[in-house]
Amino acid sequence: MSAVLKAVLTAGREAFGLLVDDGAVAVGILLAVGAAALLSIPALLGSGDAVGWALFALVWLALAVSLRRARSRFRAGSGS
Amino acid sequence: MLALLTVALPAFLASLVEFVEAFTIVLAVGTSRGWRAALAGAATATVALAGLLIAFGPGLLERVDERVLLLVIGTLLLLFGGRWLRKAMLRSAGLIAKHDESAAFTEEVDALGRTQPSRTHGARGFDWAGFAVSGKGVFLEGVEVAFIVLTLGATSGGYAAPTLGAGAALLLVVAAGAALRQPLTRVPENTLKYAVGAMLVTFGVYWTAEGLGVAWTGGAAALAYLLAATVALSWLGVWWLRRQEPADLAVSR
């Protein structure tokens, strides 16, 4: 039965990892959504397309940072 | 027709990838440890998933304010899709190894071979380790399918289209798996994951923005130009990653 318990614990950990396997990109995306929420107040950008595009740009910024980190790790790992 | 393209198709493609991976695990357990534990594990996981769908399904989601729902689901899709797209881009650039269903099968069989069947329950015994591995595999892959069906259904106004897409993928994998009885290596999983990742990020941006009160120019047509921009940027990203590193230096992750 210990195999079952181990599998249940692993499943829980992996299920959480489905969303945040790279913590940096997850945090970056959450920050992007938070920043877009701030931009959507009427005194700033309001409810126009600009907020949507700002969110799009911020999400891609988070992805770009994460990709850059992955590339650096790869370079360090391959010795180049 | 629009629902088929924008909801059923992403659900079908995403589910196809997950069901192929789940099938590989069940097949590995079935061929190396016995079909009884493999199928029992898969069936138990399916029941657990059904419970999850009922608990977090339409009944709960329909009671939430629409804008809050769009914001929460859009954010979850961004987290989920961003993870898929990021990994697919790294694979396309050769920075991490591509997913190989045949290798995954061999790895699973090897790992199972190191665990002795625990036949201590009853005269005929039952392989609990095989049951756990099969159940865990089906549950984890199934959670992703359930998540995609629920989010696409809740935000597109109906669960029929995503359920149809996921159901078609399940039937296809079960039929192909039963006929071939070997890992479904011909399914282009890496390409599918790339496409689905781009679609989920697109839906995520679209619905999160709608949850924040944004009225997109062109309404649902915005999905098309957001998808085009996402794909274009991802290609640019892969080109940038490839420019830095030769693809043949791929390392397994």
Side-chain angles (χ1 to χ4, degrees):
Chain A
M1 286 298 283
S2 65
V4 178
L5 182 64
K6 191 178 167 194
V8 169
L9 291 174
T10 311
R13 185 168 51 80
E14 288 180 18
F16 180 69
L18 293 179
L19 285 177
V20 292
D21 71 337
D22 181 321
V25 77
V27 170
I29 285 172
L30 291 174
L31 285 174
V33 173
L38 280 177
L39 289 172
S40 70
I41 61 174
L44 293 172
L45 294 177
S47 58
D49 273 19
V51 173
W53 285 111
L55 172 65
F56 180 83
L58 290 166
V59 165
W60 270 99
L61 181 64
L63 280 172
V65 169
S66 170
L67 290 167
R68 192 168 179 275
R69 287 176 69 238
R71 191 197 66 191
S72 299
R73 280 200 301 270
F74 174 81
R75 291 178 79 175
S78 65
S80 56
Chain B
M1 189 62 196
L2 188 67
L4 276 180
L5 271 178
T6 59
V7 181
L9 182 66
F12 173 78
L13 296 177
S15 305
L16 189 64
V17 172
E18 301 306 333
F19 287 138
V20 165
E21 291 180 3
F23 171 75
T24 299
I25 296 167
V26 175
L27 184 72
V29 176
T31 52
S32 65
R33 311 278 296 214
W35 286 102
R36 191 172 155 220
L39 295 177
T44 306
T46 306
V47 171
L49 283 167
L52 206 67
L53 278 170
I54 291 166
F56 295 99
L60 178 70
L61 296 177
E62 279 163 12
R63 282 198 288 271
V64 181
D65 176 74
E66 192 187 348
R67 276 189 54 183
V68 173
L69 187 68
L70 287 169
L71 185 60
V72 171
I73 285 182
T75 305
L76 288 173
L77 279 175
L78 280 175
L79 290 170
F80 199 64
R83 170 181 165 266
W84 276 39
L85 186 57
R86 171 187 170 278
K87 202 171 265 185
M89 288 173 69
L90 290 171
R91 282 179 173 149
S92 290
L95 265 64
I96 61 173
K98 292 195 173 183
H99 186 78
D100 181 345
E101 216 51 53
S102 183
F105 175 78
T106 309
E107 212 171 276
E108 200 69 61
V109 170
D110 287 348
L112 285 162
R114 288 193 292 272
T115 314
Q116 290 302 312
S118 55
R119 299 182 181 282
T120 56
H121 298 264
R124 294 174 63 194
F126 187 77
D127 181 9
W128 286 104
F131 169 86
V133 170
S134 172
K136 188 198 84 173
V138 172
F139 183 78
L140 282 176
E141 306 301 345
V143 162
E144 298 196 54
V145 173
F147 174 77
I148 288 166
V149 168
L150 279 176
T151 50
L152 291 179
T155 42
S156 65
Y159 294 87
T163 306
L164 183 73
L170 176 64
L171 284 178
L172 188 64
V173 169
V174 169
L180 297 172
R181 298 200 175 205
Q182 57 180 308
L184 304 175
T185 51
R186 290 199 177 180
V187 175
E189 277 189 70
N190 296 295
T191 308
L192 288 178
K193 280 203 165 181
Y194 197 132
V196 174
M199 285 180 189
L200 295 183
V201 167
T202 301
F203 285 130
V205 169
Y206 181 82
W207 282 321
T208 304
E210 285 212 325
L212 293 172
V214 171
W216 288 98
T217 302
L223 285 169
Y225 58 73
L226 279 173
L227 180 62
T230 301
V231 170
L233 271 178
S234 71
W235 282 346
L236 195 66
V238 170
W239 171 80
W240 174 70
L241 290 168
R242 276 190 184 148
R243 199 169 61 90
Q244 304 289 328
E245 303 296 338
D248 58 354
L249 286 175
V251 289
S252 186
R253 197 186 130 180

